[in-house]
Amino acid sequence: MIFVIRTRRRRHHRPSSDAPREIVLLSPVILTVLITGLAFATPREIAFSRLLPAAPALAAAVWPVLPTIALGAFCLLSMIGLSLVYSDLGTPYTAAAIVAVTLAAAYASHLRLQREETLFQVRLVADAAQQVLLRPLPHRVQGLDVESLYLAAQEQARIGGDFYEVADTPYGVRLLIGDVRGKGLPAVGAAAAVINCFRENAYDQPDLRGVIHRLETSIGRYSIATLDPDQPEHFATALIAEIPSGGGHVKILNCGHPPPLVMRNGEIRVLEPTVPSPPLNLATLLGDDYNVDTVAFASGDQMLLYTDGVTETRDRAGTFFPLPEWMRQLGPATPRELLYRLHRDLLHYSGGRLDDDIAAVAVRCRRPGTPERSA
């Protein structure tokens, strides 16, 4: 399962970053040894010893409280040792500066550790919220292989307005993907309202139009209940796909969402809707006529659902990511391989900087006799 794949990428790169991290952690010691050595090796007129208070100040940024105090004590002892060699270094003033800076550095280190702990707890809550909002999808549903990908545009973000879900219903496997317009907690709340509504109604509504009407009602109620002067109304693009047991075809209801791609025998087809349907919570303005398209989806076919963050990723020249051409050049690949390479190539194409959240779901209709894949 490719879920919160950004964390996995960091883990792969960790060995290459161990050496710089060790250098940063040892920098207060290196600075102390350097200043002390220069103070002993150079004439007293240069007075490198006056730089010793900088060592505990630097330690406060990377060390806990006790090691910071210990380094300050070592600097103080070094200054006393220097005074035995050079009697007119102004030792009392430098020693007082070392003590004062060490105490301030210890307090700063204490505050830093408190803030890091608070940030850690906040991230735990955000991770839990993401697991509820975008819970890991099953690797296999009936005869389908399923994989998902989520990338936040902001490096430290955990959740956003993009969403997806899969439901194994009596009417077939139903997939939802969408994108709430807006940012911040209101967008996350609207996405949660849509996903929770889908999780309940995907099993009860025999027709995709009935599911969409429920989602339309849900996001409308959320928009009314959430009073936000910066964004008085919320709306979302969404796409629902229904694949009956055994495959053969897929029904698609596209409400203003980017069209999915289907790969069959190496050929890529863009599934544009025959008649556009309005995005969620815009039916009162654009009408509530929802169109369902039926497309062949046979054994071995693969479908890619995605949000507009994929196709709107730009390179340095401002050119959009050519998703259909990229998928055509990729050729046959499992859903996991497809999303792994999509993640890698999007980061490379954008120079490592994403301007929008990205969500994608890859679904493949398994061929008869295909061996089971371990999770």
Side-chain angles (χ1 to χ4, degrees):
M1 190 62 164
I2 305 177
F3 186 75
V4 194
I5 195 168
R6 191 185 296 276
T7 303
R8 178 177 298 175
R9 176 169 61 92
R10 288 174 180 166
R11 187 177 302 146
H12 288 170
H13 284 69
R14 184 172 296 172
S16 64
S17 62
D18 282 345
R21 177 176 176 81
E22 291 178 356
I23 293 176
V24 171
L25 291 176
L26 292 176
S27 58
V29 176
I30 296 174
L31 180 62
T32 303
V33 173
L34 180 63
I35 294 175
T36 304
L38 289 174
F40 275 105
T42 57
R44 62 180 179 79
E45 290 81 5
I46 300 179
F48 274 107
S49 59
R50 296 178 181 177
L51 298 177
L52 282 173
L58 177 61
V62 292
W63 284 5
V65 176
L66 292 181
T68 300
I69 296 177
L71 182 64
F74 177 81
C75 292
L76 182 60
L77 293 177
S78 299
M79 188 62 207
I80 295 174
L82 283 170
S83 67
L84 299 178
V85 178
Y86 303 108
S87 59
D88 55 347
L89 285 177
T91 301
Y93 300 102
T94 305
I98 292 174
V99 172
V101 171
T102 299
L103 294 177
Y107 181 66
S109 176
H110 173 70
L111 293 180
R112 175 179 58 82
L113 292 175
Q114 281 188 329
R115 292 175 181 176
E116 288 179 355
E117 178 64 23
T118 300
L119 179 60
F120 176 74
Q121 296 297 330
V122 170
R123 288 179 176 175
L124 287 180
V125 174
D127 287 339
Q130 186 182 50
Q131 291 292 327
V132 173
L133 180 62
L134 294 179
R135 60 190 180 190
L137 303 183
H139 294 295
R140 187 181 183 190
V141 185
Q142 295 187 15
L144 303 174
D145 289 329
V146 180
E147 294 289 346
S148 61
L149 166 68
Y150 178 80
L151 292 173
Q154 296 181 353
E155 184 71 17
Q156 300 301 327
R158 293 296 195 269
I159 51 180
D162 290 7
F163 56 88
Y164 51 73
E165 184 58 281
V166 172
D168 185 5
T169 75
Y171 314 103
V173 177
R174 287 176 169 175
L175 303 102
L176 168 71
I177 191 166
D179 180 8
V180 175
R181 298 309 182 192
K183 298 180 180 180
L185 293 178
V188 175
V194 174
I195 291 178
N196 291 331
C197 181
F198 175 81
R199 288 169 179 168
E200 291 295 328
N201 291 278
Y203 297 90
D204 301 329
Q205 300 294 327
D207 185 70
L208 293 183
R209 295 180 182 86
V211 179
I212 283 293
H213 280 295
R214 294 287 187 174
L215 300 184
E216 171 80 17
T217 302
S218 178
I219 193 173
R221 290 173 177 171
Y222 176 84
S223 182
I224 295 174
T226 305
L227 299 179
D228 186 354
D230 296 330
Q231 188 175 357
E233 294 184 348
H234 296 85
F235 69 95
T237 64
L239 183 146
I240 299 181
E242 178 185 286
I243 305 172
S245 179
H249 67 272
V250 55
K251 295 181 178 179
I252 298 177
L253 202 168
N254 190 338
C255 297
H257 200 73
L261 304 179
V262 169
M263 172 178 285
R264 175 181 301 156
N265 299 325
E267 296 294 327
I268 303 299
R269 181 181 177 186
V270 182
L271 302 182
E272 295 281 359
T274 56
V275 178
S277 300
L280 299 180
N281 205 28
L282 292 181
T284 55
L285 298 176
L286 304 178
D288 59 353
D289 294 329
Y290 297 104
N291 177 67
V292 178
D293 294 313
T294 302
V295 182
F297 192 66
S299 175
D301 293 351
Q302 185 161 221
M303 180 169 58
L304 177 64
L305 312 177
Y306 56 93
T307 57
D308 58 7
V310 175
T311 52
E312 292 181 0
T313 297
R314 300 173 183 260
D315 61 8
R316 293 182 178 179
T319 304
F320 291 117
F321 183 75
L323 182 61
E325 291 76 8
W326 173 87
M327 193 169 176
R328 187 176 296 108
Q329 294 176 1
L330 177 65
T334 65
R336 170 175 288 190
E337 293 171 346
L338 188 151
L339 293 185
Y340 175 80
R341 296 183 183 180
L342 178 63
H343 167 229
R344 181 194 63 187
D345 292 345
L346 282 174
L347 291 176
H348 177 74
Y349 190 82
S350 63
R353 298 182 61 182
L354 299 175
D355 296 327
D356 195 4
D357 296 340
I358 287 173
V361 177
V363 183
R364 182 179 63 175
C365 188
R366 295 172 60 90
R367 298 181 186 275
T370 303
E372 293 285 345
R373 175 179 60 80
S374 59

